[in-house]
Amino acid sequence: MCQLRGTFKLMQRFFRSVTLCITLISLFGCQTLHKRNSLYQQFGGQAKIEHVIDAFILRIGANSQIIHYFSDSNISHFRAGFINHMCALLEGPCEYNGDSMVQIHTGMNINERDFNLVVELFINVMTDAHIPYQIQNKVLAKLAPLRSKIIEI
Amino acid sequence: MFVTRTVIILCFISLTAAHVCAKTLQITDQNGQPLQGAVVEIEHDIAMAADTTIAVMDQVGKRFSPRLLTINKGQAVRFPNSDDIRHHVYSFSKTKPFELKLYAGTPKAPINFEQSGIVVLGCNIHDSMVGYIYVADSQSVYVSNALGNIELPDFTQRYTVWHERQARDISERIEFNWPIRQRHQKIIITTSVPLPRNTFGEVFKEHHGH
Ligand code: HEM
Ligand code: HEM
């Protein structure tokens, strides 16, 4: 008896949430209801992030001012770690599982000038990849707070 | 008179030298180039006390230091990090697989090597870092010098040779026998060219100075 009533309550709750979902969809449409519109999606999703990071790696490799930081670093590890970090930072469907920004950049003694140059290279590759300025600015706003966890440590 | 005396003295010196002098092994690659850093281990039944000191494999300037460490079975190795940057040291070798994340100023416990064999070390972050730990069965382990030479004890009969660039499988210790009544032996270890590393430095070499 008790069990039956419990099942009934559960079913009631289920139908209520289905009704709520349908109402919400009719009111706002699908786009606003889940993260279709995350910065990750606006950026162009996983394929675009990978494309941008590959171009970024080529720019780093060709830059004589900052290459010394990277000389001994494993390209595949950097690529995978940076893509994973970027996906999480732009609120895509990833959880970042690498080292913290502080753990990574401690001991590199990156100065302001080199930090700015790396950011500039990143902006250039975003522009080349036809990412709209408005979206670029949102990405930069996400990167900016990380500065103190990367520079001069 | 003077000449004979000199001859006698010289004979005497060479005789004593021959007795005291160990056997010398010379190792080259297939092109006749001396092979430095070859590890020679002598097989014997002479029991010796196990080395219980803790050996050290450091990280200095994004390199393993030393590049080649020889220890005995059962010995432990400490992995300090003299660099002030992080390293993710790993071994996929059957002899001892492990992974060690090293951050500036946070030491880890030493690792024990229970099995003899070759342990190839790498760093996930820095592909340029390659190191080797040779875990020996016996206490009689020698490493060839820049001329590819090693002085071996008189009792040397059966021995094995290993080198990081050997064409044979990296885990293989190649067996040799010392020829009877000889002081010198020359052997050839066929080597192969190491694979290029997947680092920014190697991959973008040509682009420097742009
Ligand atoms: C008619 C309206 C809807 C359409 C056309 C739609 C379409 C989609 C599509 C295509 C995906 C896959 C996204 C991707 O991974 O690329 C998705 C994922 C998802 N949707 Fe919807 N959806 C609608 C309504 C809803 C509603 C009302 C909810 C919740 C109340 C919802 C919750 C989710 C969740 C949680 C995911 C997984 C999110 C993720 O990928 O991390 N959706 N939807
Ligand atoms: C907002 C800016 C930055 C972000 C978000 C960032 C993020 C990251 C991430 C996520 C990795 C990890 C890749 C992996 O898992 O191996 C990484 C690695 C690295 N970063 Fe940065 N980074 C930034 C700026 C810089 C700058 C300015 C430099 C130097 C000028 C730099 C030098 C490096 C180097 C050399 C590595 C390779 C890994 C290593 O050697 O430890 N980063 N960075």
Side-chain angles (χ1 to χ4, degrees), chain A residues 94-117:
Chain A
C94 323
E95 211 169 302
Y96 179 58
N97 52 23
D99 285 347
S100 73
M101 289 302 108
V102 171
Q103 283 172 327
I104 292 171
H105 301 96
T106 292
M108 288 190 196
N109 282 308
I110 300 166
N111 60 35
E112 179 115 35
R113 185 163 157 261
D114 293 340
F115 179 87
N116 291 342
L117 176 62

Side-chain angles (χ1 to χ4, degrees), chain B residues 22 84 136 156:
Chain B
D84 47 8
T156 304

Side-chain angles (χ1 to χ4, degrees), chain A residues 69-70 73 77 81-82 101 104-105 108 110 150, chain B residues 86 125:
Chain A
Y69 292 103
F70 293 86
S73 297
H77 196 274
F82 210 96
M101 289 302 108
I104 292 171
H105 301 96
M108 288 190 196
I110 300 166
I150 291 169
Chain B
R86 71 182 172 140
I125 314 289

Side-chain angles (χ1 to χ4, degrees), chain B residues 27 33-39 143-149 163-165:
Chain B
I27 309 176
Q33 293 301 310
L35 206 53
Q36 187 176 11
V39 181
V143 180
S144 63
N145 63 18
L147 301 172
N149 290 336
H163 191 269
E164 61 167 85
R165 276 191 287 112

Side-chain angles (χ1 to χ4, degrees), chain A residues 17 20-22 24-25 29-31 33-36 40-41 91-94:
Chain A
S17 45
L20 178 71
C21 248
I22 293 172
L24 285 171
I25 292 168
C30 307
Q31 290 250 307
L33 283 177
H34 58 83
K35 286 159 125 201
R36 287 257 90 189
Y40 174 80
Q41 297 289 356
E91 284 155 23
C94 323

Side-chain angles (χ1 to χ4, degrees), chain B residues 12-118:
Chain B
F12 188 71
I13 288 173
S14 62
L15 251 177
T16 19
H19 275 273
V20 171
C21 202
K23 294 173 168 173
T24 47
L25 178 64
Q26 201 196 6
I27 309 176
T28 64
D29 66 11
Q30 64 275 29
N31 304 316
Q33 293 301 310
L35 206 53
Q36 187 176 11
V39 181
V40 173
E41 181 172 356
I42 301 169
E43 293 179 20
H44 60 72
D45 328 307
I46 307 162
M48 293 190 213
D51 192 346
T52 52
T53 53
I54 297 180
V56 175
M57 177 57 91
D58 202 353
Q59 338 293 312
V60 184
K62 297 179 189 165
R63 294 289 181 272
F64 286 107
S65 175
R67 182 182 173 90
L68 167 68
L69 176 68
T70 59
I71 59 168
N72 282 122
K73 197 163 70 176
Q75 220 176 327
V77 178
R78 216 155 47 79
F79 291 82
N81 183 3
S82 291
D83 281 346
D84 47 8
I85 54 155
R86 71 182 172 140
H87 292 294
H88 289 182
V89 175
Y90 67 83
S91 148
F92 293 133
S93 303
K94 263 195 282 172
T95 304
K96 184 78 189 181
F98 67 91
E99 205 177 345
L100 208 55
K101 293 193 174 182
L102 303 172
Y103 300 103
T106 43
K108 293 275 161 86
I111 291 180
N112 215 57
F113 292 80
E114 305 85 2
Q115 270 188 58
S116 63
I118 316 299

Side-chain angles (χ1 to χ4, degrees), chain A residues 56 60 65-86 89 96 98-101 103-105 108 110-111 114-119 142-144 146-147 150-151, chain B residues 62 85-86 88 124-126 200:
Chain A
F56 185 47
I60 291 171
Q65 186 182 321
I66 52 152
I67 184 70
H68 71 274
Y69 292 103
F70 293 86
S71 296
D72 291 314
S73 297
N74 183 325
I75 296 177
S76 324
H77 196 274
F78 175 82
R79 183 181 186 278
F82 210 96
I83 288 171
N84 176 219
H85 180 262
M86 196 48 78
L89 193 74
Y96 179 58
D99 285 347
S100 73
M101 289 302 108
Q103 283 172 327
I104 292 171
H105 301 96
M108 288 190 196
I110 300 166
N111 60 35
D114 293 340
F115 179 87
N116 291 342
L117 176 62
V118 166
V119 173
K142 295 263 184 198
L143 288 172
L146 303 177
R147 184 177 169 281
I150 291 169
I151 212 166
Chain B
K62 297 179 189 165
I85 54 155
R86 71 182 172 140
H88 289 182
N124 282 322
I125 314 289
H126 307 107
F200 282 84

